[in-house]
Amino acid sequence: MKALVYNGPRDVSVSQVPDPGIDRPGDAVIQVTRTNICGSDLHMYEGRTDIEPGRVLGHETMGQVVETGPAVEQLRPGDMVTVPFNVACGFCPNCERGLTSYCLTANPDPHGAGAAYGVAGMGPWSGGQAEYLKIPWADFNALPLPEDAEEKQNDYVMLPDIFPTGYHATEMADVTPGDTVVIYGAGPVGLMAAYSALIKGAAHVMVVDRHPDRLALAQKIGAIPIDDSKASPVDQVLARTNGLGADAGCECVGYQAHDPAGHEHPNQTLNELVGSVKYTGNIGVVGNYPPTDPGGADELAKHGEIAFDYGSFWTKGQHMGTGQCPVKTYDQQLRDLIHTGKATPSFVISHQLPLDQAPQGYRHFDNRDNGWTKVTLSPAG
Amino acid sequence: MKALVYNGPRDVSVSQVPDPGIDRPGDAVIQVTRTNICGSDLHMYEGRTDIEPGRVLGHETMGQVVETGPAVEQLRPGDMVTVPFNVACGFCPNCERGLTSYCLTANPDPHGAGAAYGVAGMGPWSGGQAEYLKIPWADFNALPLPEDAEEKQNDYVMLPDIFPTGYHATEMADVTPGDTVVIYGAGPVGLMAAYSALIKGAAHVMVVDRHPDRLALAQKIGAIPIDDSKASPVDQVLARTNGLGADAGCECVGYQAHDPAGHEHPNQTLNELVGSVKYTGNIGVVGNYPPTDPGGADELAKHGEIAFDYGSFWTKGQHMGTGQCPVKTYDQQLRDLIHTGKATPSFVISHQLPLDQAPQGYRHFDNRDNGWTKVTLSPAG
Amino acid sequence: MKALVYNGPRDVSVSQVPDPGIDRPGDAVIQVTRTNICGSDLHMYEGRTDIEPGRVLGHETMGQVVETGPAVEQLRPGDMVTVPFNVACGFCPNCERGLTSYCLTANPDPHGAGAAYGVAGMGPWSGGQAEYLKIPWADFNALPLPEDAEEKQNDYVMLPDIFPTGYHATEMADVTPGDTVVIYGAGPVGLMAAYSALIKGAAHVMVVDRHPDRLALAQKIGAIPIDDSKASPVDQVLARTNGLGADAGCECVGYQAHDPAGHEHPNQTLNELVGSVKYTGNIGVVGNYPPTDPGGADELAKHGEIAFDYGSFWTKGQHMGTGQCPVKTYDQQLRDLIHTGKATPSFVISHQLPLDQAPQGYRHFDNRDNGWTKVTLSPAG
Amino acid sequence: MKALVYNGPRDVSVSQVPDPGIDRPGDAVIQVTRTNICGSDLHMYEGRTDIEPGRVLGHETMGQVVETGPAVEQLRPGDMVTVPFNVACGFCPNCERGLTSYCLTANPDPHGAGAAYGVAGMGPWSGGQAEYLKIPWADFNALPLPEDAEEKQNDYVMLPDIFPTGYHATEMADVTPGDTVVIYGAGPVGLMAAYSALIKGAAHVMVVDRHPDRLALAQKIGAIPIDDSKASPVDQVLARTNGLGADAGCECVGYQAHDPAGHEHPNQTLNELVGSVKYTGNIGVVGNYPPTDPGGADELAKHGEIAFDYGSFWTKGQHMGTGQCPVKTYDQQLRDLIHTGKATPSFVISHQLPLDQAPQGYRHFDNRDNGWTKVTLSPAG
C-alpha cells in the first residue's frame, strides 16, 4: 500500500510499504478514508525527535473496517470507525481507570508513557497516513460511528485527537458555564479548546496567537482574538478581566513556543498563563513538553527543564493538569455532539488533499503558511 | 498585654503592646490559651520577607472568647475556639466558594492573595503569639470546640494551621485508601500530611527528610522514613515501588529546601517529587514559594522562578495543586476526629513553653536543634 | 408600604403593612424593583400548607439598596442586587459547605430545613412581593449586579430562584456536553432546567408537559416538546433513545403532579423518570415533596409517602439528588452569563404587572390559563 | 467436575457437571481455590427468583489459572487471581466509563442490567462454587494477585464481591474522614461497609442489626452496634447524633428486610435510613431491590414498588446512589490494603468448608443460625 513515510528532517514521501494484516486475535484493519496532519507530527518532521527513518506517520485516522481477528466482537467489515490516537490495551491498571493515554501494555517503556500510532517514543505502532491501518485490541481502540459517518467525515476525523485534546484542556482547567477562559495557541488544538469552552457555556473565551488566519478563525467561532505581537498578552487579558485574570487557562502550544520575533522560549506560554489566570484558577496543558530536548535553545531546555514562574504559580494557588489526552474518555460524547449537529469541528480544516500530496501539506503546515490551518488527507480517493 | 514582637532578622522579643479591642461590629477578642510557632514564622524570623518591625507574629492560635461585637451571634464569652490562620470575610466570591485562603476582602492587595494573622504580605492583622487576639468577622473566623476543649488543647491547637494544611496536601494529591504516598519534609506540616494520609487509609506512606528526630516521629506514626542524606530519595522511593513511583506526592518544605550539604535549591523537592511520583500521579504543594525572593540563591530564584523539570512533569501527565490551605474546609472534620479520639496530632509537639520563652523557642526551632520538632506556647499560664 | 398578603386559600390582596427597618447590624433594606410569582407560591395560595394569614409572600426578588446596618460592608445605598430565595447565615456548618438551602441558623427548626422569604415552614422572614424587603446577613444574602442591572431586570430577576433551581436540577443529574436529557415539567423551573442543559452543551433536551403554550416555549429555546396527553411520555422518550432512555433526568413538577385527566399522583413524574432514564443515569429532583401532606390524595400521600418504583430505580443503578437549591452556589456564574449576553432567561416571562395587580396574576397563574407562563411584578412602578 | 447446583427452592446439591473449557479466544479457566456463599445467593436458594434448576451458583471466586485462550495476554497458567462478580466486556460504552456492573455486552438483556456468574437474570455465565470456572474476556475480568496470594486467600476471596460492595456503599454515601456513618445490616456486606468506613477515617460508625453474633463482630472491628430489636434504630441513631442524624448512611439489607417479629417490609431500612441520616446527607444502597417480586408481601411489593418516605427524603435534601457494585473500580486498591496488612476482611468468615459441605453451609447461612456469619468453600481441598 501507499503511506506517508518519514525519511529524515523535513523529508517525507509517499512510498510503497507492506500492507498491514491481522497479527493477533484482537487486531482489525481499516481502509483509511480520512487522516489529518497534526501539529505534533511537525516535531518529528522538523527532526526534533528520534523517530526512525522509514516509519509511517499519522495518528488522526478514521476509516472502514475491512478485516477483523477472531477475538474481535464489536466490529464488522464495513463499519465506519474513528481511531483514538492512543493505543491502549483496555485491561492494565491505567486503562481500567480510563487513563488510556498512559497504557502500561502498549509501549515497551514499562513506566507508563503511553502509546500512539506513528509517534516518536510511543511504541512500535505504524501510522495512519496510509491506505490501511492496523488497530490492535480493536474492540477497545475503535469508536463506531452512526449512519452519517460518510457525510460528516471532516467532522468525525477530529475525534481521534484534536477535538478530544482541546476538550481535555478545558476539563483539566475545570471550565464551567459563565467562566472567562484564556487559551494560548490558535492552532487546531487551541481552536478546539476554544470551541469546547464555548460548547460548555463559557461566557468569554480569549485566544492568544499572532497569525491573522488563526485569529480570524477564533473570532469566527465566537472567541475573542488576542494578538500577542501587538502587546503583552498578559496585559491584554488582565485589561479584559478587571485586572483579576481569567477563571481558567489552557496551554495549546508546547515547548516550541516562540516570541513574535521568532525566538524559542519553552517557558513562554506557561509563564504567561500563570500571569493571565486568576488566583485559585486552573490551567490545563496539552501542548507537548518532552523530558529531554537535545535540540533545545539552552542548557535548561536540553534537560527538559524550564525557568518556571513557580513563585507566582504557588502564591496564586493555581492548579495545573498536564499530559496526553485519554481520547476514549471524551470521544463518545463529542461524537454525539457532531451527530446531532451541535458541533461541526470541521471548521478548522483549510485543505483536503489526496494522500499523494501529503508532503506538500507537511511543508505548508510546518511553515505556518497563511491559510494552512489544518490539512486532512483522503487516502481512499 | 504581652506579645511576641518581630524586631528584625533573628531578633524577636516578648514586649508590651496595646490590648486588642472591638473595632467593628463583627469582631471578637479571645484570651489566647495556646499558640504555636510555625515553620512559616521562620521565613519572617530569618529576614527573608518584608515584615515590618513591631509586628506581632503568630497564626496558630486558640483560646477563650472574652468579648464580642454587636453583630456576633454564634460566639459567647467563655466559648473555647480555634482560629483558622486565614482571615476571611465569608461573603466575597472566593469565600463563597470555600476558598477562604484567597479572600478578596481581608487583604488590601485586591487580587486575592489572602490574609492571615501576623504574616508578611497577608494584611494588617496582628498575630496570636500574645495574651489576646482580635478575630474579625468572628462568627465566620472561629471554630467552636466541644466540652473537651481544655483537656485536649495540644491537639486542638493543630487545627488553625498545620493539621488542615497537611491534610490539604493529601487532598490536592488525591490520596485514597490503598495508595502509596511520598511526602517531602518531616517538619510539623509534613508529619501532619503523613498522619492525614494514614487516616485516609493509605497503604504506604514514605516521608523524606534527614533529621533523625523527625524521621523517628514519622516512623512512630506508622510511616516509612526515607533519609535523603544517605542516598537519592528518588531512587529510594522507586526501589520501594517497583520502579513506578508513588501514587501521590506532597511537598511540605518550600523554597528554602536545601541539600544535605546545606545549599539552598528552591527547585529541589519539586523536581524530586516529579521523579518520585508515578505517571498520572497527583502532587499537592503546601510548602511556601514566594513570587519574588530578593535573598534567593541565584537570579532565577530572586525572580521567584525555578528550574523546573517540566518536561518530565508533563510527559508523566502529573497534576499539581498549590497554595495556602483554606482551613475552614477541613477543620470541622478534623476537630471531630480529635474529639472522638481518632486523631491525636499533639504527637508532633516537642516543647510547651510559656509566652516569655518564645524567643528561645524561635531560636532552637530555627536551628532545627535536635528534638525541637514543634513548639507550642501557653500565654495564659 | 404596600405588599401582597396571604389571607387564606385562594385569597391574597395588596395591603398596607409596616415598612421593614434595620433590626440587626447585618441587615439591609432594598426597594423592590422586580419580584416574581413562583410555582411554589401556589402551594400556599391553594391552602395546601400551614402558612399564617397576614404573611407577605414572595421569594424571587431584586431591587436597590436603600439602607444598611452598621455591620454591612459590601453593600451601599444605590447598589442593585438580587436576593437568593434562601435566607442563610453564612457561618453555620451547612453554610460553610455551601449548603445555604439548609442553613442551621435562619430557621427556628433546629434540624436544617433551611429558610426562605415568605414561605410556609421556612422561618419568619417576610416576603418580597412588596415595596421594600429586609435582607438579613445582607453581605452574604445579596448578589451585587453590574452596570446593566436596570436594563436587564427581567433577566436578572430569574437569579433569586428559578434559573439557579433549574440549573441545580441539571447539576444533580450530572448533565455534560453531548448528553440526552429528559425534563418533566415545562413550567418556569422546567424551562430553566432545559435552558441550563442546553447552555451546558446537551445534545438533546426533551421536555414533558401538556400545556401547548409551555411546550411551545420549550421548542422555541431548542428543546424537544413531549406531550404526555398524547401518549405515554416514557414510551416517547424510549422511542427517541433507541429504547435505552435518556442519560439524565430532571423532576420539575413536584407532589402535585397530575395526569392529563387532572387526577393528582404524587409518584407520577418520579416513576416516569425512573422509566425514562437509562441504566446508570442520574436524576435531579427540584420539584417540591413535603414531609406530610394533610390534603393529599390518599393515605400514603398524607404521610408524605409515595408508591415509588424502587425496584426499577435500584436495578437500573440510578442516582438521585433532591432538595432546595443553594442559590449562591450558582448565581454568580449565571449572572455572568446574563451580563455577557449568553443567557436571556426573561424568555419565560409572559406578564409584567404592577404590584396592585398581583392578585390577578396569582389567579391566572394558578389556573394555568393559557399563556400565563410566568408573572413578574414591578412594585417600584 | 463437581459443582454446587440449584435444584429448586431450598434444594441445592454438589453434582457432576461438564468441565468448562476455552470457547472464545479471550477465555481463561481457573481452578477454584476459594469461593464464598453470598447473601444474594439466598434470594435464589429461597426460590424468590426465576433461576433455572441445574444452574451452578457462586460469584465470589478466586483461584489459579490453568488454561488461557489465544487472545489472553496478561494471564499465564499458575497465576493466582480473584474474579470480580460482574462479567464485563471491557469495551462497551458502560465498561469504558468504569460501569462494569452495567456491561451492555455480557447480558442478553440489551438495556444494561449487567451480568454475573451464577446469578438469576444476569446472563448465562456459570457460577464459581465448583472445581473450575471459565472467565470470559479474561484479561479484563481477572485481578492478578501478589506473592502472598495463597497465604491470604481468606482475605483476597473478599475481593470478588463483598469488600468492594461494602466499600461502594460508602463511596455512594460519600464517607470522608471524621464522618458519623450509619449502616443498616450487619451481614457480611454491612460489616464490609462498616470496615470500609473505618478504613476511610470515619469517626463513628453505627451498625444496625439484631443478631448478637453479627453485632458482636461489628463491635470487634470498632463500630457501634445498634440493636433494632431493643428500640427504634432511628431513635438510637438520633440520640447519638444530637438529634441531627448521621452524616452518611448505607443500606446493606435489601428488599427482604424484616422487622424483629419476622415480617417482611421492603421499605423498612430505606425509610429508617431517611430518618437516621441528617439533612443534606448521602445514602448508598447496595442491598438488592428487584424490579418485580412475585413473592412479595403485598401488591406494591409484587410490582417492585415500595411505600417510600419520599417527602422526608426530599425535604432533607438527601442524595441516594444505588445499584450493583462495579468491582473493578475498587479491587486494586483493596487488594493493596490486604497485601500491605492494612485490611484483613477475613474477620467476617465464620466457617470454611469443603465444596461437598456447601449444602449444609447454605442451610445454616439461610437460617441465620447463630455464628454462621459467612461461609467460604475450598473446592481445591
Side-chain angles (χ1 to χ4, degrees):
Chain A
M1 69 169 181
K2 292 194 292 183
L4 187 283
V5 173
Y6 173 78
N7 302 313
R10 294 198 163 78
D11 176 6
V12 293
S13 61
V14 175
S15 310
Q16 286 291 329
V17 302
D19 278 5
I22 302 297
D23 298 313
R24 294 190 299 173
D27 289 348
V29 173
I30 63 167
Q31 181 178 21
V32 177
T33 60
R34 282 286 189 293
T35 178
N36 301 329
I37 305 176
C38 178
S40 57
D41 289 331
L42 301 181
H43 303 314
M44 293 175 282
Y45 180 75
E46 296 173 8
R48 287 288 283 272
T49 69
D50 58 358
I51 187 91
E52 310 84 2
R55 287 285 300 277
V56 177
L57 305 185
H59 56 272
E60 303 189 13
T61 313
M62 68 176 288
Q64 191 163 31
V65 176
V66 292
E67 194 181 359
T68 61
V72 176
E73 303 183 23
Q74 187 177 225
L75 303 178
R76 295 215 168 73
D79 287 355
M80 292 292 290
V81 299
T82 56
V83 187
F85 81 83
N86 330 279
V87 181
C89 72
F91 53 77
C92 74
N94 282 349
C95 283
E96 283 190 7
R97 293 157 57 217
L99 299 165
T100 53
S101 40
Y102 295 94
C103 175
L104 295 159
T105 307
N107 189 340
D109 170 346
H111 294 123
Y117 302 90
V119 176
M122 299 191 74
W125 314 99
S126 193
Q129 292 165 3
E131 291 183 291
Y132 295 93
L133 176 70
K134 184 182 77 175
I135 308 172
W137 302 290
D139 277 332
F140 191 68
N141 283 313
L143 177 74
L145 295 177
E147 68 285 354
D148 57 1
E150 193 145 352
E151 161 198 351
K152 294 185 176 174
Q153 285 195 69
N154 285 355
D155 292 308
Y156 286 126
V157 74
M158 301 308 162
L159 291 180
D161 184 351
I162 66 169
F163 196 8
T165 292
Y167 192 90
H168 185 51
T170 67
E171 283 287 293
M172 294 193 295
D174 196 22
V175 173
T176 53
D179 273 356
T180 295
V181 184
V182 61
I183 290 160
Y184 277 80
V189 169
L191 289 168
M192 287 297 119
Y195 197 53
S196 298
L198 290 162
I199 286 170
K200 287 177 167 185
H204 280 306
V205 178
M206 295 169 280
V207 183
V208 180
D209 205 302
R210 70 201 61 143
H211 297 92
D213 55 338
R214 296 179 170 194
L215 291 170
L217 268 181
Q219 188 157 31
K220 188 175 155 195
I221 59 171
I224 300 163
I226 304 280
D227 186 337
D228 73 347
S229 69
K230 298 284 172 53
S232 151
V234 175
D235 290 349
Q236 292 184 67
V237 171
L238 293 178
R240 287 173 176 276
T241 54
N242 297 319
L244 294 172
D247 296 313
C250 299
E251 207 289 340
C252 303
V253 176
Y255 73 113
Q256 291 183 296
H258 45 281
D259 61 29
H263 300 114
E264 194 171 298
H265 305 283
N267 66 348
Q268 177 178 307
T269 52
L270 290 165
N271 286 353
E272 286 172 345
L273 270 164
V274 168
S276 302
V277 171
K278 72 176 180 183
Y279 279 73
T280 77
N282 285 11
I283 297 172
V285 183
V286 295
N288 265 270
Y289 291 83
T292 62
D293 176 24
D298 56 30
E299 276 311 302
L300 278 183
K302 286 184 207 303
H303 295 87
E305 294 183 340
I306 68 167
F308 185 38
D309 193 359
Y310 198 85
S312 293
F313 177 62
W314 189 89
T315 301
K316 294 177 93 166
Q318 296 172 340
H319 288 229
M320 183 177 280
T322 76
Q324 303 272 1
C325 172
V327 169
K328 285 173 68 70
T329 303
Y330 311 114
D331 63 357
Q332 294 187 60
Q333 67 190 105
L334 300 181
R335 175 194 61 193
D336 295 348
L337 284 168
I338 292 171
H339 180 52
T340 56
K342 300 273 176 176
T344 51
S346 57
F347 76 82
V348 79
I349 295 179
S350 57
H351 294 77
Q352 179 175 333
L353 304 179
L355 180 60
D356 285 340
Q357 294 178 24
Q360 292 95 306
Y362 267 85
R363 196 172 62 243
H364 289 294
F365 188 45
D366 187 53
N367 287 341
R368 272 117 182 114
D369 284 338
N370 193 43
W372 287 78
T373 318
K374 181 73 175 175
V375 177
T376 193
L377 305 170
S378 310
Chain B
M1 67 169 182
K2 291 195 293 184
L4 187 285
V5 173
Y6 174 77
N7 301 314
R10 293 196 164 79
D11 176 6
V12 294
S13 61
V14 175
S15 309
Q16 286 291 327
V17 302
D19 279 5
I22 302 297
D23 297 314
R24 295 190 298 174
D27 289 347
V29 173
I30 63 167
Q31 182 178 21
V32 178
T33 60
R34 281 289 188 291
T35 178
N36 300 331
I37 303 176
C38 178
S40 57
D41 289 332
L42 301 180
H43 303 313
M44 293 176 280
Y45 180 74
E46 296 174 7
R48 287 289 282 271
T49 69
D50 58 357
I51 187 93
E52 309 84 2
R55 287 285 299 275
V56 177
L57 304 185
H59 56 270
E60 303 189 13
T61 312
M62 68 176 288
Q64 191 163 32
V65 177
V66 293
E67 193 181 359
T68 61
V72 176
E73 302 182 25
Q74 186 176 225
L75 304 178
R76 294 217 168 72
D79 287 355
M80 292 293 289
V81 298
T82 56
V83 186
F85 80 83
N86 331 280
V87 181
C89 72
F91 54 77
C92 74
N94 282 348
C95 283
E96 283 190 6
R97 293 159 57 216
L99 299 165
T100 53
S101 40
Y102 295 94
C103 176
L104 295 159
T105 308
N107 189 340
D109 171 344
H111 295 122
Y117 301 90
V119 176
M122 299 191 74
W125 315 99
S126 193
Q129 291 166 2
E131 291 182 293
Y132 294 93
L133 175 70
K134 184 181 76 175
I135 307 172
W137 302 290
D139 277 330
F140 191 69
N141 282 314
L143 177 74
L145 296 176
E147 67 286 354
D148 58 0
E150 193 145 352
E151 162 198 350
K152 295 185 175 174
Q153 285 196 66
N154 285 354
D155 292 308
Y156 286 126
V157 74
M158 301 309 163
L159 292 180
D161 183 353
I162 67 168
F163 196 7
T165 292
Y167 192 91
H168 185 51
T170 68
E171 283 286 295
M172 293 193 295
D174 195 22
V175 173
T176 53
D179 273 355
T180 296
V181 184
V182 62
I183 290 161
Y184 277 78
V189 169
L191 290 167
M192 288 297 119
Y195 196 54
S196 298
L198 290 162
I199 286 170
K200 287 178 167 184
H204 279 307
V205 178
M206 296 169 278
V207 183
V208 179
D209 205 304
R210 70 201 59 145
H211 297 93
D213 54 339
R214 296 180 170 194
L215 290 170
L217 267 180
Q219 189 157 32
K220 189 176 153 193
I221 59 170
I224 300 163
I226 304 281
D227 186 337
D228 73 347
S229 69
K230 299 284 172 55
S232 151
V234 175
D235 290 347
Q236 293 184 68
V237 171
L238 293 178
R240 287 173 175 275
T241 53
N242 297 318
L244 294 172
D247 297 312
C250 298
E251 207 289 341
C252 304
V253 176
Y255 73 114
Q256 291 184 297
H258 45 281
D259 61 30
H263 300 114
E264 194 171 300
H265 305 284
N267 65 348
Q268 178 178 306
T269 52
L270 289 166
N271 286 352
E272 287 173 344
L273 271 164
V274 169
S276 302
V277 171
K278 72 175 181 186
Y279 280 72
T280 77
N282 286 10
I283 299 172
V285 183
V286 297
N288 265 270
Y289 292 83
T292 62
D293 176 23
D298 55 30
E299 276 310 302
L300 278 185
K302 287 185 206 301
H303 295 88
E305 294 183 339
I306 68 167
F308 185 39
D309 193 359
Y310 197 86
S312 293
F313 177 62
W314 189 90
T315 301
K316 293 177 94 166
Q318 295 172 340
H319 287 228
M320 184 176 280
T322 76
Q324 303 272 1
C325 171
V327 170
K328 285 172 69 69
T329 302
Y330 310 113
D331 63 358
Q332 294 187 59
Q333 67 190 105
L334 300 181
R335 173 195 63 192
D336 294 348
L337 284 168
I338 293 172
H339 179 53
T340 57
K342 301 271 175 175
T344 52
S346 57
F347 76 83
V348 80
I349 294 179
S350 59
H351 294 78
Q352 179 175 333
L353 305 178
L355 180 60
D356 285 341
Q357 294 179 27
Q360 293 94 307
Y362 266 85
R363 197 173 59 243
H364 289 294
F365 187 46
D366 186 53
N367 287 341
R368 271 117 183 114
D369 284 340
N370 194 43
W372 287 77
T373 319
K374 182 73 175 176
V375 178
T376 192
L377 305 170
S378 309
Chain C
M1 66 169 183
K2 292 194 292 182
L4 187 284
V5 173
Y6 174 78
N7 302 312
R10 294 199 165 77
D11 176 6
V12 293
S13 61
V14 175
S15 309
Q16 284 292 329
V17 302
D19 279 4
I22 303 297
D23 296 314
R24 294 190 300 175
D27 289 348
V29 173
I30 63 166
Q31 182 179 21
V32 178
T33 60
R34 282 290 187 291
T35 178
N36 300 329
I37 303 176
C38 179
S40 57
D41 289 331
L42 301 180
H43 302 314
M44 293 176 280
Y45 180 75
E46 297 174 7
R48 286 289 281 271
T49 70
D50 58 357
I51 188 90
E52 310 85 2
R55 286 285 299 275
V56 176
L57 304 186
H59 56 271
E60 302 189 14
T61 313
M62 67 176 289
Q64 190 164 32
V65 176
V66 293
E67 193 180 358
T68 61
V72 176
E73 301 183 25
Q74 185 176 227
L75 304 178
R76 295 216 167 74
D79 288 355
M80 291 292 290
V81 298
T82 56
V83 187
F85 81 81
N86 330 280
V87 181
C89 72
F91 53 78
C92 74
N94 282 349
C95 283
E96 283 191 5
R97 292 160 57 218
L99 300 165
T100 52
S101 40
Y102 295 93
C103 176
L104 296 159
T105 308
N107 189 340
D109 171 345
H111 294 122
Y117 301 91
V119 176
M122 300 193 72
W125 315 100
S126 194
Q129 291 166 3
E131 292 183 292
Y132 295 93
L133 176 70
K134 184 180 76 175
I135 307 173
W137 302 289
D139 277 329
F140 192 69
N141 283 313
L143 177 74
L145 295 176
E147 67 285 355
D148 57 1
E150 193 145 352
E151 163 198 349
K152 294 184 175 176
Q153 285 196 68
N154 284 356
D155 291 308
Y156 285 125
V157 73
M158 302 307 162
L159 292 180
D161 183 352
I162 67 168
F163 196 8
T165 292
Y167 191 91
H168 185 50
T170 68
E171 283 287 293
M172 294 193 296
D174 196 22
V175 174
T176 54
D179 273 355
T180 295
V181 184
V182 61
I183 290 161
Y184 277 79
V189 169
L191 289 168
M192 288 296 118
Y195 196 53
S196 298
L198 289 163
I199 286 171
K200 288 177 166 184
H204 279 307
V205 178
M206 295 168 279
V207 183
V208 180
D209 205 302
R210 70 203 59 143
H211 297 92
D213 54 337
R214 297 180 170 194
L215 290 170
L217 268 180
Q219 188 157 30
K220 187 176 154 193
I221 60 170
I224 299 163
I226 304 281
D227 186 336
D228 72 347
S229 70
K230 299 283 173 54
S232 151
V234 175
D235 290 348
Q236 293 184 66
V237 171
L238 292 178
R240 288 174 175 275
T241 54
N242 297 319
L244 294 171
D247 296 312
C250 298
E251 207 289 341
C252 304
V253 175
Y255 73 115
Q256 291 185 298
H258 45 282
D259 61 28
H263 300 114
E264 194 171 297
H265 306 283
N267 65 348
Q268 178 178 305
T269 53
L270 290 165
N271 286 353
E272 287 172 345
L273 270 164
V274 169
S276 302
V277 171
K278 73 175 181 184
Y279 280 72
T280 78
N282 285 11
I283 298 171
V285 183
V286 295
N288 265 269
Y289 292 83
T292 61
D293 176 24
D298 54 31
E299 275 312 302
L300 278 184
K302 287 184 204 303
H303 295 88
E305 294 184 338
I306 68 167
F308 184 39
D309 192 359
Y310 197 85
S312 293
F313 177 62
W314 189 90
T315 300
K316 294 178 92 166
Q318 296 172 339
H319 288 228
M320 184 176 279
T322 76
Q324 303 273 0
C325 172
V327 170
K328 285 173 67 70
T329 302
Y330 310 113
D331 63 357
Q332 294 186 59
Q333 67 190 107
L334 300 181
R335 174 195 60 193
D336 294 348
L337 284 168
I338 293 171
H339 179 53
T340 57
K342 300 272 176 175
T344 51
S346 57
F347 77 83
V348 80
I349 295 179
S350 58
H351 294 77
Q352 179 176 332
L353 305 179
L355 180 60
D356 285 342
Q357 295 177 25
Q360 293 95 307
Y362 266 85
R363 196 173 63 242
H364 289 293
F365 188 47
D366 187 53
N367 286 342
R368 272 122 183 108
D369 284 339
N370 193 44
W372 286 78
T373 319
K374 182 73 174 177
V375 178
T376 192
L377 307 168
S378 310
Chain D
M1 67 169 183
K2 292 194 294 182
L4 186 283
V5 173
Y6 174 78
N7 302 313
R10 292 196 166 79
D11 176 6
V12 293
S13 61
V14 175
S15 310
Q16 285 291 331
V17 303
D19 278 5
I22 302 297
D23 297 313
R24 294 190 299 173
D27 288 348
V29 173
I30 64 168
Q31 181 178 23
V32 178
T33 60
R34 282 289 188 291
T35 178
N36 300 329
I37 304 175
C38 179
S40 56
D41 289 331
L42 301 180
H43 303 315
M44 292 176 282
Y45 180 76
E46 297 174 8
R48 287 288 281 271
T49 70
D50 58 358
I51 188 92
E52 310 84 2
R55 287 284 300 276
V56 177
L57 305 186
H59 56 272
E60 303 189 13
T61 313
M62 68 176 287
Q64 190 162 33
V65 176
V66 292
E67 193 181 0
T68 61
V72 176
E73 302 182 25
Q74 185 176 225
L75 303 178
R76 295 215 167 74
D79 287 355
M80 293 291 291
V81 299
T82 56
V83 187
F85 80 82
N86 330 280
V87 181
C89 71
F91 53 77
C92 73
N94 282 349
C95 283
E96 283 191 4
R97 294 158 56 216
L99 299 165
T100 53
S101 40
Y102 294 95
C103 175
L104 295 159
T105 308
N107 189 340
D109 170 346
H111 294 121
Y117 301 90
V119 175
M122 300 191 73
W125 316 100
S126 192
Q129 291 166 3
E131 291 182 292
Y132 295 93
L133 176 69
K134 184 182 76 176
I135 308 172
W137 302 289
D139 277 330
F140 191 68
N141 282 314
L143 177 74
L145 295 177
E147 68 284 355
D148 57 0
E150 193 144 353
E151 162 198 350
K152 295 185 175 175
Q153 285 196 69
N154 284 355
D155 292 309
Y156 286 125
V157 74
M158 301 309 163
L159 291 180
D161 183 352
I162 67 169
F163 196 6
T165 291
Y167 193 90
H168 185 51
T170 68
E171 283 286 293
M172 294 193 296
D174 195 23
V175 173
T176 54
D179 273 356
T180 295
V181 184
V182 61
I183 290 161
Y184 277 79
V189 169
L191 289 167
M192 288 297 119
Y195 196 54
S196 298
L198 290 162
I199 285 171
K200 288 179 167 182
H204 280 307
V205 178
M206 295 169 279
V207 183
V208 180
D209 206 302
R210 71 202 59 145
H211 297 93
D213 54 338
R214 297 180 169 194
L215 290 170
L217 268 180
Q219 188 157 33
K220 188 176 154 194
I221 59 170
I224 301 163
I226 304 281
D227 186 337
D228 73 345
S229 70
K230 299 285 172 54
S232 151
V234 175
D235 290 349
Q236 292 185 67
V237 171
L238 293 177
R240 288 173 175 275
T241 54
N242 296 319
L244 294 172
D247 296 312
C250 298
E251 207 289 340
C252 304
V253 176
Y255 73 113
Q256 291 183 296
H258 45 281
D259 61 28
H263 300 112
E264 194 171 297
H265 306 283
N267 66 348
Q268 177 178 307
T269 53
L270 290 165
N271 286 351
E272 286 172 346
L273 269 165
V274 169
S276 301
V277 171
K278 72 175 180 184
Y279 279 72
T280 78
N282 285 10
I283 298 171
V285 182
V286 295
N288 265 270
Y289 292 84
T292 61
D293 177 23
D298 55 32
E299 275 311 302
L300 278 184
K302 286 184 207 303
H303 295 87
E305 294 184 339
I306 67 167
F308 185 38
D309 193 359
Y310 198 86
S312 293
F313 177 61
W314 189 90
T315 301
K316 294 178 94 165
Q318 296 172 340
H319 288 228
M320 183 175 281
T322 76
Q324 303 272 2
C325 173
V327 169
K328 285 174 68 69
T329 302
Y330 309 114
D331 63 357
Q332 294 187 58
Q333 66 189 107
L334 299 181
R335 174 195 62 192
D336 295 347
L337 284 168
I338 292 171
H339 179 54
T340 57
K342 300 273 175 175
T344 52
S346 57
F347 76 83
V348 79
I349 295 178
S350 59
H351 294 77
Q352 180 176 331
L353 305 178
L355 181 60
D356 285 341
Q357 294 178 26
Q360 294 94 307
Y362 266 85
R363 195 173 64 245
H364 289 293
F365 188 47
D366 186 54
N367 287 341
R368 272 120 184 110
D369 283 340
N370 194 44
W372 286 76
T373 319
K374 181 74 175 176
V375 177
T376 192
L377 306 169
S378 310

